[in-house]
Amino acid sequence: MASPLAPALAELRALLLDGDRLVRAVASGRMRNMAPPWRRVELRPVALKAGPHLQTVAYDDRQAHTSNAAFGPAAEKAVDDLLALGMGNWHVETLGTTMQVRITKKGEAMVSRTAAAAPNERTLDHDRAKQRLLDPADPFWRAVGIADAEGRIKPTRQDKYRQVEEFIRALDAVLKGAVFPGDRPLRVVDLGCGNAYLTFAAYRFLSHVRGLDVDFTGVDTKRQARERNSELATGLGWNGLHFIEGTIADAPVDGADIVLALHACDTATDDALARAVAWGAKYVLAAPCCHHDLQKQLRGGEAPAAYGLLTRHGILRERFADMLTDALRASLMRQAGYRTEIIEFVPSEHTPRNTLLRAVRTGVKPDAAALTEYQTLVKEWSVTPKLSTLLAADAGF
Ligand SMILES: C[S@@+](CC[C@H](N)C(=O)[O-])C[C@H]1O[C@@H](n2cnc3c(N)ncnc32)[C@H](O)[C@@H]1O
């Protein structure tokens, strides 16, 4: 039931400023007639050398902006400034309770409060990466070959472990507040799954940590991958996890709510994005791998006047092609009705291929200016992104 806004915000403010009990909070959306500069803001207490601080990570369409304010007047100002921005939804976890506030079009508050079944976990470590979403000692890491017999992550597998952990963190973040189908399992697909480290970890996270009923499929062209991964899934007794041998474009998968792709080679990422669009997947997370397609097109064509220096040297052309490819992919996903962002999902020391295209289907198409922006860019550089060809082949696009 709706209630007056001011007392709800006052309660919210008190929870956010309770440095002894706050676990984390997320604000998203916007109130009617308000235009907050952030898409999403996450808050959590952190223990810094200078004492306990409230950490704020604010996301716009391009990047995350982190700031820390000492609990006391500085944190009060940070919270008051944030509350004044007019974010529309709040999710606040404290040690014992979770409070959710949605602000209606009429400017009233829809509030729900739930007692945590188990105390919400609180970590004050400044290094977010140390807040593990999956226990490194979980036996499945050993089964897939990431951990040794003693349950320690193998030194040679540390990078893959961090990629997977951070990929899942990006998945977890985008799923906060998501409503899942109640009448059937959540369908998740990992395209180009290879040895399926991500597949197993994401299945574990969604089904056992988040407690969702999941129908999860890993797809790869390699028969050996399908046989090995299926055997491992059976050995773990994970009945909702299946593997298919086939191409991303054609594998017999009926549909998906969530599409994942970690380092699907070259244009296989485009295949994954196009398949996700064709399925109408709600969430798409794709960390691209090598980008040869536009590199070749740039090598064979003329750069627009004044931009020749960008592509004259091989290494710069390679890096520029990476940027151009992902910028155009993001634009095409927007044109397909997805709110899309490109983020760095893991520090570069764990892989140079550390960008992640994260898209949420909203059905909202971009305005004419955004289309013109895209068309101008492809025309000036004389390139045809693979994804545009794949999406154009889909009559619905
Ligand atoms: C670099 S590996 C990444 C594997 C896994 N996602 C990971 O990050 O550990 C790329 C995988 O994509 C698979 N692959 C590439 N193109 C594919 C396609 N068109 N259809 C299905 N699988 C594909 C390859 O067989 C390979 O296993």
Side-chain angles (χ1 to χ4, degrees):
M1 204 177 68
S3 61
L5 184 57
L9 290 186
E11 186 182 347
L12 197 68
R13 180 181 188 277
L15 294 181
L16 293 172
L17 290 169
D18 186 343
D20 293 329
R21 297 188 59 77
L22 178 68
V23 175
R24 60 189 290 277
V26 179
S28 60
R30 63 184 181 87
M31 288 186 210
R32 196 175 190 188
N33 298 329
M34 299 296 278
W38 313 121
R39 243 182 351 84
R40 173 186 175 88
V41 181
E42 298 172 2
L43 299 102
R44 58 189 286 265
V46 288
L48 302 184
K49 275 191 191 138
H53 281 60
L54 179 66
Q55 183 173 80
T56 305
V57 185
Y59 297 86
D60 58 19
D61 279 338
R62 284 177 303 178
Q63 55 181 318
H65 306 258
T66 303
S67 57
N68 296 308
F71 278 103
E76 282 166 26
K77 178 169 181 340
V79 167
D80 288 340
D81 289 350
L82 188 54
L83 288 171
L85 293 178
M87 310 285 298
N89 302 293
W90 283 87
H91 172 102
V92 184
E93 290 170 24
T94 69
L95 280 177
T97 56
T98 299
M99 179 184 185
Q100 305 222 53
V101 180
R102 181 172 69 77
I103 294 142
T104 67
K105 284 184 181 160
K106 289 185 181 162
E108 294 175 316
M110 298 290 290
V111 182
S112 76
R113 297 173 192 81
T114 43
N120 286 325
E121 198 183 321
R122 190 171 133 102
T123 309
L124 298 180
D125 202 313
H126 184 45
D127 180 358
R128 288 179 65 94
K130 289 185 183 145
Q131 273 185 293
R132 301 294 180 209
L133 294 174
L134 289 166
D135 185 348
D138 189 316
F140 91 85
W141 290 116
R142 193 166 69 239
V144 298
I146 290 272
D148 63 18
E150 278 75 47
R152 286 177 308 232
I153 304 299
K154 293 177 187 169
T156 52
R157 293 273 143 223
Q158 282 288 349
D159 286 335
K160 185 48 82 178
Y161 168 71
R162 282 298 300 276
Q163 290 170 34
V164 168
E165 170 83 6
E166 296 308 316
F167 197 107
I168 289 183
R169 195 181 306 285
L171 173 65
D172 179 44
V174 84
L175 294 184
K176 289 267 152 46
V179 179
F180 299 113
D183 55 344
R184 60 167 175 83
L186 181 71
R187 296 168 307 178
V188 190
V189 181
D190 182 8
L191 298 174
C193 64
N195 278 338
Y197 306 122
L198 172 68
T199 331
F200 279 91
Y203 179 80
R204 180 67 156 167
F205 177 72
L206 292 171
S207 63
H208 300 115
V209 178
R210 294 286 300 262
L212 298 165
D213 180 16
V214 182
D215 180 9
F216 205 127
T217 308
V219 174
D220 204 285
T221 45
K222 292 183 195 145
R223 166 166 306 174
Q224 200 195 350
R226 196 231 330 130
E227 289 172 352
R228 168 196 178 270
N229 297 334
S230 303
E231 207 173 295
L232 287 176
T234 307
L236 289 162
W238 292 3
N239 301 328
L241 178 57
H242 319 279
F243 292 91
I244 293 182
E245 177 188 336
T247 64
I248 292 171
D250 298 323
V253 178
D254 289 339
D257 304 298
I258 302 177
V259 171
L260 312 179
L262 174 57
H263 298 158
C265 324
D266 196 9
T267 53
T269 293
D270 299 299
D271 292 334
L273 296 176
R275 199 91 205 260
V277 171
W279 283 326
K282 176 81 179 164
Y283 302 99
V284 185
L285 287 91
C289 196
C290 41
H291 298 71
H292 298 307
D293 185 34
L294 282 204
Q295 255 183 61
K296 278 189 229 136
Q297 295 187 37
L298 290 176
R299 204 182 311 133
E302 279 280 304
Y307 293 104
L309 280 174
L310 286 179
T311 53
R312 189 160 306 156
H313 308 281
I315 180 67
L316 296 184
R317 187 169 57 241
E318 202 178 296
R319 289 182 185 172
F320 178 68
D322 283 3
M323 284 213 303
L324 190 57
T325 305
D326 288 335
L328 293 172
R329 281 176 174 153
S331 172
L332 284 162
M333 289 302 284
R334 285 196 189 107
Q335 291 171 48
Y338 284 78
R339 189 183 71 227
T340 307
E341 60 187 348
I342 300 219
I343 58 171
E344 182 181 283
F345 76 101
V346 64
S348 59
E349 67 256 33
H350 301 295
T351 171
R353 299 293 177 194
N354 65 344
T355 50
L356 176 70
L357 183 150
R358 188 164 61 174
V360 180
R361 188 166 165 272
T362 60
V364 177
K365 302 280 171 98
D367 57 21
L371 287 179
T372 307
E373 204 180 19
Y374 169 84
Q375 282 155 359
T376 307
L377 195 57
V378 291
K379 190 162 167 241
E380 293 212 343
W381 285 94
S382 307
V383 289
T384 307
K386 173 80 179 200
L387 183 58
S388 70
T389 313
L390 293 171
L391 292 177
D394 175 358
F397 186 64

